[in-house]
């Protein structure tokens, strides 16, 4: 696969800890950290629920794709992606070309218990229960992942340490 950049990219379901783990790792490794949801909200000048309402999920996925494209020319960074980015075929393919993809694995029940402001995630209050949504995405996460870290029952520190160890082994840190 042709590599277009050398980022460290976190994927995983809502509540898997992508944003927190990314920030912590960036601090430890003295790297730049970019959060996809925050970037999209700034660019759109709208909050995510508003984007979903006005542009639908398809519009939001387009914005995710545009975000990933804009990362080709960026300095090496840690990217924290939105949980559904892997559902779009073009985005999923591009993820692999943007660097090393780290999948933070979590069970639906633990994910939901970790989310403090569910109203900020439109798909959590949608028709599909979280466990079903996660099940429908598992194959995509697995397909996209270079490294998989199981986060169930682990503390933030344990997860970050496991990520560092795995990335070092791959020569990515
Ligand atoms: C989504 C996850 C959210 C956000 C949006 C859609 C999803 O990001 O991008 O609400 O489809 O799973 P987090 O995974 O950071 O919560």
């Amino acid at each position: 696969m042709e590599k277009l950049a050398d980022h460290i990219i976190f994927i995983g379901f809502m509540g898997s800890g992508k944003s927190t783990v990314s920030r912590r790792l960036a601090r430890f490794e003295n790297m730049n950290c970019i959060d996809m949801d925050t970037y999209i909200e700034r660019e759109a000048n709208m909050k995510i629920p508003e984007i979903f309402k006005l542009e639908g999920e398809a519009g939001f996925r387009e914005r995710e794709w545009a975000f990933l494209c804009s990362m080709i020319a960026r300095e090496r960074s840690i990217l924290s992606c939105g949980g559904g980015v892997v559902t779009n075929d073009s985005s999923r393919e591009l993820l692999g070309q943007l660097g090393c993809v780290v999948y933070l694995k979590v069970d639906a029940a633990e994910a939901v218990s970790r989310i403090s402001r569910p109203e900020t995630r439109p798909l959590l209050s949608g028709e599909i229960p979280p466990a079903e949504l996660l099940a429908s995405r598992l194959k995509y996460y697995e397909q996209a992942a270079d490294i998989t870290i199981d986060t169930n029952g682990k503390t933030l520190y344990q997860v970050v340490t496991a990520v560092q160890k795995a990335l070092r082994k791959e020569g990515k840190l």
Side-chain angles (χ1 to χ4, degrees):
M1 190 196 307
E2 190 203 351
K3 287 281 182 192
L4 303 170
D6 191 24
H7 301 299
I8 293 170
I9 305 153
F10 284 93
I11 60 165
F13 200 59
M14 294 171 266
S16 60
K18 295 165 299 212
S19 303
T20 324
V21 171
S22 295
R23 278 198 300 269
R24 187 64 67 95
L25 182 68
R27 188 145 35 95
F28 281 159
E29 300 294 336
N30 201 18
M31 283 177 72
N32 187 35
C33 181
I34 306 174
D35 187 88
M36 184 189 235
D37 287 344
T38 309
Y39 185 102
I40 289 176
E41 286 186 332
R42 280 214 197 105
E43 188 94 334
N45 200 21
M46 282 187 273
K47 292 285 177 196
I48 288 173
E50 219 179 327
I51 302 176
F52 268 74
K53 218 157 117 191
L54 284 178
E55 302 176 0
E57 184 175 345
F60 182 71
R61 301 292 168 221
E62 285 278 321
R63 289 182 178 276
E64 291 189 319
W65 158 253
F67 164 85
L68 291 177
C69 290
S70 75
M71 290 301 120
I72 296 173
R74 280 278 182 135
E75 64 167 314
R76 182 168 195 260
S77 301
I78 295 175
L79 312 183
S80 173
C81 294
V85 69
V86 293
T87 60
N88 178 287
D89 293 343
S90 313
S91 291
R92 199 171 61 249
E93 215 164 288
L94 183 52
L95 279 175
Q97 295 180 288
L98 283 176
C100 183
V101 180
V102 183
Y103 166 35
L104 297 183
K105 197 172 172 171
V106 67
D107 291 343
E110 182 151 343
V112 169
S113 78
R114 284 184 197 164
I115 294 172
S116 53
R117 293 172 58 226
E119 70 280 6
T120 60
R121 269 100 165 173
L123 290 183
L124 272 191
S125 46
E127 286 148 29
I128 311 173
E132 246 175 71
L133 192 61
L134 173 58
S136 72
R137 288 178 176 178
L138 277 181
K139 58 178 181 296
Y140 298 132
Y141 291 130
E142 283 162 9
Q143 240 176 58
D146 294 308
I147 291 171
T148 300
I149 304 289
D150 189 349
T151 73
N152 289 296
K154 293 207 181 109
T155 63
L156 171 63
Y157 182 76
Q158 285 171 327
V159 174
V160 175
T161 307
V163 168
Q164 281 176 309
K165 198 172 153 200
L167 285 169
R168 289 225 164 84
K169 201 170 148 209
E170 297 289 318
K172 298 291 174 191
L173 277 181

